[in-house]
Structure formats: structure tokens, C-alpha cells
Amino acid sequence: MNDIYKRNNAKNFIYISLFFFVIYLCFLYLGIDFQRFFSALGRFGNLIATRYYPVDIPYALEPGYLASILDSVQMGYLGLIIGVIIASILAYFAASNITPSKRVGYVIGKFFIIFSRSIHETIWTILFVTIVGFGMLAGTMALTMYCIGFFGKLFSEELENVDMKLVETIRSNGANEMQVFAYGVWPQVKTAFTGILIYTWDVCFRASTIIGFFGAGGMGWYLKRNVLQLEYARTSAIIVSIIVLVIFSEALSAYMRDKIYKETQ
Amino acid sequence: MSGYQLSIEDYSKQNSSKIYKKIIFYTSLISIIFLSVYFIIILDTDWHRIGSGQAILEQLSYFIGLDVSIMPLLILPAFETFLMACLGTMLGLLLSLPVAWLGAKNVTPLGMFTFSIARFLMTISRSVHEIIWALIFVGAVGLGALPGILALAFRSVGFISKIIAESIEGADKKPIEAIKAAGGSGFDVMYYGIIPQILPTVIGTIIFEWDINIRRSAVMGLVGAGGLGLAFFRQMHMSNYPGVTTVILFIVGLIVIGEILSHYLRKRII
């Protein structure tokens, strides 16, 4: 701990100046105007104050927009359910300690989880929109892929942390793979499964508010329309409504997770 | 005796009401599934337009194959994306330091007032999606890598400052008290008492956030900030589907490199 503040001023000076020089080079490479960079916060504040500020709240309360919120919620929910079903199977294969086949199943499960995780949800949306056309189906599929990545990673990590002694006991008594999972693994991860499920719902809803921007239905579509029409007051109303909904969903998911953990303890 | 009997009845009554509650809960969850299936797959989807399964397969087959000719053109945008993520995370850290200072209960200067302001800023930063941040900043500072960096920074502030504030709150009080007792100023307390304690957590968090930021910076180009997202956008609009596959391959490669690097770094530091 103590050697963090070792007094070596000359060396520190060289390191710090090298650090700033590298950042300077990065800025030059990216073609960023320094004046623009330092005035960015002011411009941002100015933009918020002059364009976005009088928030057009009544717009966010129109029935058409409220229906689109419902669309987003439905997309998130359905994407979550399908995604979690697929991700649970993949996570079972991708957990190194309980996977039925280490050579094939593990690699395939891990690959699919990493692959769907590494592509951002907006890119999934664009891809599915080109395949099945505009609309909520594409959004649901994109959210499914997103949930597979998100849920699969967290749940497979949870599966890797189970107590193997219990699992081995059941296996040594002659249980088959199905029984090992049902009596050895599942009781240990049940709580975590529900907790991760609720957390994934929260994150998935957050993603579902934006994917409409790229052609899947829901609130994002309204956002895109108003951004393109330069209707700043309406755009800010939509952003405010998204913030409110996200805060609400976050609070709800925190409350539910808390309740579940309390119930099991 | 009767008391005992009663308690069992009570128990079973309680249990049955619990079961009823459970049944209602699960039926409502399942009925929402059917409702969403009905709305999304039956009402909203134009199956006529999508066509048969063969048409979908045909559409999918466009994506098969790689466009080798654009590969050399993607190396610089990939590097740009990577730099954008690095600078965005750094700027995010810089911005989140004051927010974390205000948002930690034990060091916030004006009590509840500054604390709630900081918490509000954290929530705003986390709940606005990076695409929306990028849209706002493209409007504010123009096209290029700068709005991407700013959007990533603003998006990361919420997470980084929340973790820092929580670790400041959880820091061991003894060294802090010792420094105060020896006559140290507020700055001394921060510099010698708190920072050495929270440094490992903070570095771990930054590496984690950097890893996520690479993923995010790959889509910044979709709304006008450069990088691989812009290349993706162009290929998509030229309907050059093998090119799209190539760009996606580059994005996945970049993210895998970032994941390996962050894994290695985290192991070294923590």
C-alpha cells in the first residue's frame, strides 16, 4: 500500500508528461479540435438550455406514445422469456464443471454466449430488421440475442460456482445427468436464477426503449422521428419519459430482488 | 390442545393464501406472455411481407461470405474505436471523481443537499442510453470522434462514480481518524486516508467499464460519431452484406481482444 506514494519526483514527472503526450497524440490522430473539446461542456449546457429545455410534457402523455411504451414493455418481456430459455440451456453447456461434454458442448455454448454478448443490441436490431423487416418482431429477436448474451454469461458463472460436493454425491449414487441437475445443481442456483432473471428484465427493458431507433417498434421509433424532425422539445420529453421509466424499472427490480433474497434466507 | 389445533389451521390457511397468491402471480406472468405473443407476432408482424421460410433463408444467405477488399479500410476505424473507448473511459473517470466525492455520505461537503444532487446525476447518467447521449453530443459538438468520447464518458460516470462513492463509504475509518487527529486537512484525509484504500476497487471498476465501453464505442458511429459503427452504417446502406459481416467480424475481434486484455490486467492488479 505504502509504495503508491513513493517519492520519486523525476520519474513520476516523466511518466505523467508521457501520459499527457500520448493523450495529445490520440487527440491529434482522432482529429479533435482542442478548442472544441474544452468548449464541449459549455456547448452541451447551452444546447440543453436553449433547445431541449422547455420539455413538451403533454407530448409524452399522448395515447399513441403511451401505446408505444406498452409495445416496448412487451418486446422486452417476450425477448426476455425466449432469451432466458435459450440462455439457460446454453449456460448449462457453457459451465465448465457440469457440462455434459467438455469438448463439444462447452465450446459451442461458450461461443454462442460470447458471440451474442459482443455484438451490441443496436447492431442486432439492424441485422434483424434487414431480415424480417421493420416492426416489433425484429426488436424481439434482437432483445432475445441480447438476453442470451447477458443472462447466459451471468448464469453460467453462477453455475460454475456451485458446490461440487453435493453434485458428486448425487452422481455417485447413480443419478443420470437430468437428475444431477434437478437435485444437485438447481436447488443451489434457484435464488440466483431468479435474481439474475429480474436483473436481466431491467436491463432488457432499458435496451428495448432504444432499439426502436433502428427500426424496431416502441418508443425508440418516436425518438427517431422527432430527432429527424428536429423537434427538440418533444425529443426531450421522450428522453425524460425514458429516464422516468428506467428509474421505475430499476427500483422495481431492486425491490423484487431484495424480497426474493430475504424470502430464501 | 385447542391452541395447537388452531395454529395448524392458521398455518394451513396462511399457506393456502400463499399458494393462491403464487397461482395468481404465475398465471398473470404467463398471460402476459400470451398477450405479448398475440400483439407482436400476430397483430404487428406482416407475415405476408416476410414471406416463406425460404425467403428468410435467402435473405440470410446474403450475409454469408467476407468482403476481403474492405478489410484494410477497417483497421484504422477499429483503432479509432479502441482509442475512443480508452479516452471515453478516462474522461469518464475524470468527471466521476467530483460526483463520487459529492455522492459519498461520509465526505460530502454540504450533507443531504450535495449528496442528493450527486445521486441524481448518477441516475441520469446511467438511465440515458449511450445512443441518446451520442445523439445529444453530435448535436452539441458536431460529427467525429469527439461526441463519441463525450457520450461514453457521460454514460460511464454513473457506474464509476457509484462504485467509487460506495467504496469511499465503506473505507476503514481508523486511518482517516488518525490523519484527522494528527491535524490533517480534508485534502490530506482524502489523499492519504481514503485513496490508498479504494484504489484497487477503483482500478478494477475502470477496467470493467473500459471493457464495456469498447462494446459501446463500436455503435457510436451509427448516429454520427466515427469508428467501426460508421463503417457498419456505410456497408449496411450500400447493401454490401458480405461487407457487413466483415465489419461485425472486426467488432467481435476487437471486443475479444479487449476482454482478454481486461482479464489479464485485472489479474495483475487485483
Side-chain angles (χ1 to χ4, degrees):
Chain A
M1 266 309 154
N2 290 326
D3 55 357
I4 295 173
Y5 296 129
K6 225 185 232 168
R7 301 271 174 199
N8 195 340
N9 283 333
K11 218 175 177 180
N12 278 353
F13 180 73
I14 291 173
Y15 279 143
I16 289 171
S17 46
L18 204 67
F19 174 75
F20 279 107
F21 184 65
V22 169
I23 286 186
Y24 176 71
L25 285 184
C26 288
F27 269 65
L28 278 189
Y29 175 75
L30 292 175
I32 295 170
D33 192 7
F34 278 92
Q35 204 186 346
R36 199 157 262 258
F37 175 71
F38 288 113
S39 67
L41 271 183
R43 281 164 183 269
F44 171 66
N46 198 18
L47 188 78
I48 296 287
T50 57
R51 301 265 179 80
Y52 287 95
Y53 169 59
V55 182
D56 189 0
I57 297 274
Y59 181 75
L61 298 175
E62 274 175 19
Y65 181 66
L66 291 180
S68 81
I69 293 176
L70 217 61
D71 284 358
S72 283
V73 173
Q74 282 175 342
M75 272 197 308
Y77 191 68
L78 199 62
L80 172 81
I81 299 289
I82 304 171
V84 163
I85 290 169
I86 299 172
S88 310
I89 299 166
L90 284 176
Y92 175 66
F93 282 102
S96 58
N97 50 352
I98 55 164
T99 179
S101 68
K102 257 207 160 99
R103 289 277 165 74
V104 188
Y106 177 71
V107 175
I108 292 175
K110 204 91 187 167
F111 172 77
F112 273 110
I113 287 175
I114 290 179
F115 182 69
S116 47
R117 220 173 89 81
S118 49
I119 296 177
H120 200 266
E121 64 261 26
T122 52
I123 293 183
W124 278 125
T125 312
I126 297 173
L127 292 179
F128 281 117
V129 164
T130 52
I131 293 169
V132 301
F134 293 102
M136 284 156 77
L137 185 67
T140 309
M141 286 162 112
L143 287 175
T144 304
M145 296 311 285
Y146 180 61
C147 285
I148 289 175
F150 193 85
F151 184 86
K153 179 172 186 271
L154 291 177
F155 190 54
S156 68
E157 274 168 9
E158 199 60 48
L159 283 176
E160 277 174 354
N161 287 331
V162 296
D163 186 1
M164 282 310 278
K165 278 181 209 146
L166 284 171
V167 178
E168 287 306 323
T169 315
I170 291 165
R171 188 169 284 155
S172 63
N173 277 319
N176 60 23
E177 288 293 338
M178 217 40 229
Q179 284 165 328
V180 167
F181 186 78
Y183 297 106
V185 179
W186 176 246
Q188 292 188 49
V189 296
K190 211 165 74 178
T191 318
F193 177 85
T194 326
I196 298 172
L197 182 71
I198 294 168
Y199 184 47
T200 312
W201 171 76
D202 175 20
V203 175
C204 189
F205 174 70
R206 207 178 294 194
S208 79
T209 58
I210 194 69
I211 55 169
F213 196 86
F214 300 98
M219 297 144 86
W221 177 241
Y222 276 79
L223 183 69
K224 170 136 198 170
R225 224 166 63 186
N226 287 306
V227 165
L228 289 185
Q229 289 173 348
L230 303 177
E231 291 271 11
Y232 288 103
R234 289 178 175 183
T235 309
S236 61
I238 291 171
I239 293 174
V240 167
S241 72
I242 287 176
I243 291 173
V244 170
L245 286 169
V246 166
I247 289 172
F248 177 71
S249 77
E250 211 168 72
L252 188 69
S253 101
Y255 168 76
M256 298 249 282
R257 266 180 292 161
D258 216 44
K259 208 176 157 190
I260 281 160
Y261 282 120
K262 258 183 204 152
E263 240 170 46
T264 49
Q265 270 161 15
Chain B
M1 198 63 173
S2 61
Y4 185 58
Q5 209 75 10
L6 205 84
S7 73
I8 284 184
E9 268 172 18
D10 269 0
Y11 179 73
S12 65
K13 212 185 255 172
Q14 206 181 4
N15 217 24
S16 70
S17 82
K18 224 178 187 179
I19 287 173
Y20 277 131
K21 252 187 194 170
K22 258 192 178 169
I23 288 174
I24 290 170
F25 184 67
Y26 284 112
T27 5
S28 60
L29 282 189
I30 289 169
S31 56
I32 296 173
I33 295 180
F34 282 116
L35 208 70
S36 341
V37 167
Y38 175 70
F39 274 114
I40 294 174
I41 295 179
I42 298 172
L43 280 189
D44 193 69
T45 309
D46 188 358
W47 288 101
H48 227 65
R49 213 191 73 83
I50 295 173
S52 56
Q54 207 179 352
I56 294 177
L57 282 183
E58 200 191 324
Q59 185 68 248
L60 266 175
S61 70
Y62 293 147
F63 286 97
I64 296 171
L66 293 176
D67 190 349
V68 187
S69 64
I70 64 160
M71 272 191 187
L73 303 176
L74 288 180
I75 293 168
L76 286 184
F79 190 57
E80 202 179 322
T81 303
F82 183 77
L83 278 186
M84 218 151 78
C86 295
L87 292 176
T89 315
M90 269 185 236
L91 189 64
L93 174 66
L94 200 70
L95 291 175
S96 60
L97 289 178
V99 178
W101 174 56
L102 294 178
K105 248 184 197 139
N106 50 352
V107 292
T108 187
L110 290 177
M112 216 49 211
F113 177 64
T114 44
F115 175 75
S116 42
I117 287 181
R119 289 282 150 164
F120 178 70
L121 288 179
M122 285 177 202
T123 317
I124 294 277
S125 151
R126 269 182 312 134
S127 37
V128 177
H129 199 271
E130 55 262 27
I131 295 283
I132 301 178
W133 278 123
L135 276 172
I136 295 175
F137 278 112
V138 165
V141 299
L143 303 172
L146 182 57
I149 292 171
L150 290 169
L152 290 178
F154 271 68
R155 171 81 196 212
S156 336
V157 164
F159 184 71
I160 297 179
S161 60
K162 191 165 185 239
I163 300 280
I164 296 181
E166 267 163 19
S167 49
I168 289 177
E169 278 170 8
D172 189 5
K173 292 220 166 47
K174 280 175 208 151
I176 301 170
E177 294 293 326
I179 291 164
K180 267 186 195 159
S185 65
F187 177 77
D188 285 336
V189 169
M190 205 64 185
Y191 193 69
Y192 295 103
I194 294 175
I195 291 182
Q197 287 191 47
I198 64 169
L199 206 57
T201 328
V202 171
I203 292 175
T205 314
I206 293 164
I207 294 169
F208 180 72
E209 190 68 22
W210 172 73
D211 186 22
I212 297 176
N213 272 345
I214 294 179
R215 207 165 305 225
R216 288 174 182 158
S217 66
V219 296
M220 286 289 122
L222 296 178
V223 287
L228 279 176
L230 188 63
F232 179 85
F233 189 73
R234 280 189 188 146
Q235 297 300 323
M236 203 76 217
H237 275 237
M238 290 194 290
S239 302
N240 184 9
Y241 294 116
V244 171
T245 315
T246 317
V247 178
I248 288 177
L249 209 71
F250 263 74
I251 294 176
V252 173
L254 191 68
I255 286 161
V256 168
I257 291 172
E259 208 144 285
I260 292 168
L261 265 179
S262 78
H263 182 79
Y264 175 73
L265 280 174
R266 227 176 303 166
K267 243 187 189 167
R268 247 192 85 177
I269 286 164
I270 299 169

